Amino acid sequence: MKTLDWNTLFGERARRIQASTIRELLKLTQRPGVISFAGGLPAPELFPKGLAAEKAAAILRDKGEVALQYGPTEGYFPLRAWVAEWLGLSPEEVLITTGSQQALDLLGKVFLDEGSPLLLEAPSYMGAIQAFRPYGPRFLTVPAGEEGPDLEALEEALKGERPRFLYLIPSFQNPSGGLMPLPARKRLLEMAMARGLVVVEDDAYRELYFGESRLPSLFELAREAGYPGVIYLSSFSKILAPGLRVAFVAAHPEAILKLTQAKQGADLHSPVLNQMLVHALVQEGFPERLALIRQTYREKAEAMLSALDREMPAGVRYTRPKGGMFVWMTLPEGLSAERLFQRAIEENVAFVPGSPFFAEGGGENTLRLSYATMDRARIEEGVRRLGRALKGLLALV
């Protein structure tokens, strides 16, 4: 049989496509006995399995001819209208996407050319880096921490550059768990307005706050100020179920139109049945569901932080999230998270090393822990194992 050297046949864009570090690590964590803090997976006990089964059966019985047919690229209109009402918009400002990951890819397709400057936080969501990289941008980064991006560094980065857009996660950032305070949000928006900078706000964790209320999004603040340059992404993955792959973009109608045209060439439309199911699920007990999700993740976060306080040796720093699903850890300088990962796997505990979250490299002594899928007992045992692995590594230094 004749063979082909496929690597010589792929286009330049394909050569830039890289495997997801998390997806590769998850293969290692599937073996029995491993406690995994690696995947950013929602808690499965929160999935509305019974209600979803009931609603899906009713949709297929009563509206099967719509649910199983092709649909409009913009999305199932009743769901678009619900999202629009939730956000205080018109349906023409909403596009339903097949997960937020598709939205990121569409943004890359629409905004980025070879060599286009693109501004990100460091660290930033590795799925966004993975989505943007094939389009050949020139990554610019600014440091980010528990209170969001360093605005002084951001202002400096913008002096000699005009990025196609700034991508950031102001609320419970993935991976750092950081929450950008309201004054910082307002200042960042002023900077964007002064320069006509497009801001892409990824707000996947918007409802996972642990306090009494949610901070206004950059998108909401921009609308109050009359600025159309914020593109807003969010998802039903964290508040219903990720397997449904239903998310949305909210933006100025001209941006929505171009993203819709790009989506037509990608998948024509997101699955209509899934969109109809999401619409049905948010009609029944949705506020109570969100309250339960917030309480569940708050308790899991408290369990992890208490365990880290007990088990981590001196010199290790970690964030104390006010929402979301992640704790970000920084090891003492010179200590490698990759080396720690190898020792941790021997202890049957896993996490994500931090370096893939840095578009321009760095972060070798950082790592991300997710508490979302574990109960308190497994969180405590996993942190004990991680502490043993870390102490063993420190003994070799």
Side-chain angles (χ1 to χ4, degrees):
M1 179 183 292
K2 184 177 176 62
T3 61
L4 293 175
D5 184 356
W6 288 99
N7 285 325
T8 67
L9 303 176
F10 296 140
E12 182 60 33
R13 182 170 294 166
R15 295 189 184 100
R16 298 192 191 107
I17 297 174
Q18 300 174 353
S20 165
T21 300
I22 293 178
R23 294 285 157 185
E24 294 302 308
L25 286 177
L26 286 176
K27 296 175 186 176
L28 296 175
T29 65
Q30 297 305 306
R31 72 188 194 196
V34 172
I35 295 177
S36 177
F37 299 134
L41 310 178
E45 70 268 24
L46 294 172
F47 297 163
K49 298 183 287 293
L51 185 60
E54 173 190 322
K55 296 297 184 182
I59 290 167
L60 289 169
R61 182 185 65 242
D62 301 333
K63 300 178 181 179
E65 69 284 356
V66 176
L68 300 177
Q69 185 56 278
Y70 287 114
T73 303
E74 294 85 350
Y76 177 59
F77 185 80
L79 180 59
R80 288 175 65 212
W82 186 91
V83 171
E85 183 178 359
W86 194 31
L87 300 181
L89 309 175
S90 66
E92 290 70 31
E93 296 172 283
V94 176
L95 169 67
I96 304 298
T97 60
T98 308
S100 284
Q101 199 64 32
Q102 183 184 58
L104 294 170
D105 182 65
L106 295 178
L107 287 164
K109 188 178 293 186
V110 165
F111 281 95
L112 298 178
D113 297 314
E114 185 75 28
S116 298
L118 170 59
L119 194 53
L120 302 173
E121 299 168 287
S124 185
Y125 171 48
M126 74 167 70
I129 297 170
Q130 187 183 28
F132 299 146
R133 195 181 296 280
Y135 296 100
R138 179 166 53 88
F139 288 116
L140 310 171
T141 59
V142 294
E146 286 199 71
E147 294 195 344
D150 182 329
L151 296 186
E152 301 300 329
L154 177 59
E155 194 155 30
E156 192 65 29
L158 292 172
K159 282 182 179 177
E161 296 279 1
R162 184 175 175 80
R164 291 298 176 86
F165 57 83
L166 163 63
Y167 169 80
L168 77 168
I169 307 173
S171 296
F172 320 122
Q173 198 236 28
N174 181 359
S176 73
L179 176 64
M180 194 175 186
L182 183 57
R185 293 174 187 235
K186 291 180 176 179
R187 184 181 167 198
L188 185 146
L189 183 60
E190 289 170 0
M191 293 165 61
M193 292 172 64
R195 294 166 174 81
L197 174 66
V198 172
V199 177
V200 174
E201 179 181 17
D202 192 338
D203 208 13
Y205 308 96
R206 61 170 277 154
E207 295 295 338
L208 306 189
Y209 53 88
F210 298 159
E212 294 301 315
S213 61
R214 179 181 64 84
L215 286 178
S217 65
L218 291 171
F219 182 73
E220 290 167 319
L221 295 172
R223 288 183 65 83
E224 289 175 8
Y227 182 59
V230 177
I231 297 174
Y232 184 81
L233 316 182
S234 195
S235 170
F236 293 98
S237 290
K238 309 302 185 293
I239 54 178
L240 288 177
L244 294 173
R245 309 309 300 134
V246 178
F248 56 88
V249 182
H252 188 276
E254 287 187 46
I256 290 294
L257 175 60
K258 187 53 65 176
L259 290 167
T260 300
Q261 291 169 349
K263 182 173 167 63
Q264 288 171 353
D267 66 353
L268 298 182
H269 62 85
S270 300
V272 178
L273 174 59
N274 295 21
Q275 295 180 68
M276 294 178 75
L277 179 56
V278 166
H279 182 249
L281 290 173
V282 297
Q283 303 298 312
E284 192 166 317
F286 192 54
E288 294 78 13
R289 160 164 293 280
L290 295 180
L292 174 62
I293 290 170
R294 287 192 282 270
Q295 177 185 343
T296 300
Y297 287 137
R298 182 172 59 248
E299 291 172 355
K300 289 172 183 278
E302 290 170 352
M304 175 166 278
L305 291 171
S306 295
L308 289 170
D309 290 343
R310 289 192 304 271
E311 302 294 339
M312 288 302 105
V316 175
R317 294 180 288 114
Y318 41 89
T319 56
R320 307 191 80 87
K322 298 177 182 177
M325 298 165 57
F326 306 111
V327 170
W328 182 247
M329 181 178 289
T330 303
L331 305 176
E333 283 297 330
L335 211 59
S336 164
E338 294 281 356
R339 287 187 64 195
L340 176 59
F341 179 81
Q342 297 305 321
R343 295 188 69 93
I345 282 293
E346 293 174 5
E347 294 279 358
N348 279 333
V349 63
F351 58 83
V352 181
S355 56
F357 296 99
F358 292 79
E360 294 187 295
E364 288 81 6
N365 67 325
T366 61
L367 58 103
R368 190 193 75 178
L369 303 170
S370 175
Y371 44 77
T373 59
M374 301 292 148
D375 60 25
R376 176 178 288 272
R378 286 179 66 78
I379 289 171
E380 291 176 348
E381 176 58 26
V383 172
R384 274 194 294 270
R385 296 178 187 182
L386 181 61
R388 283 200 302 268
L390 181 50
K391 290 165 188 172
L393 183 58
L394 284 168
L396 299 176
V397 177

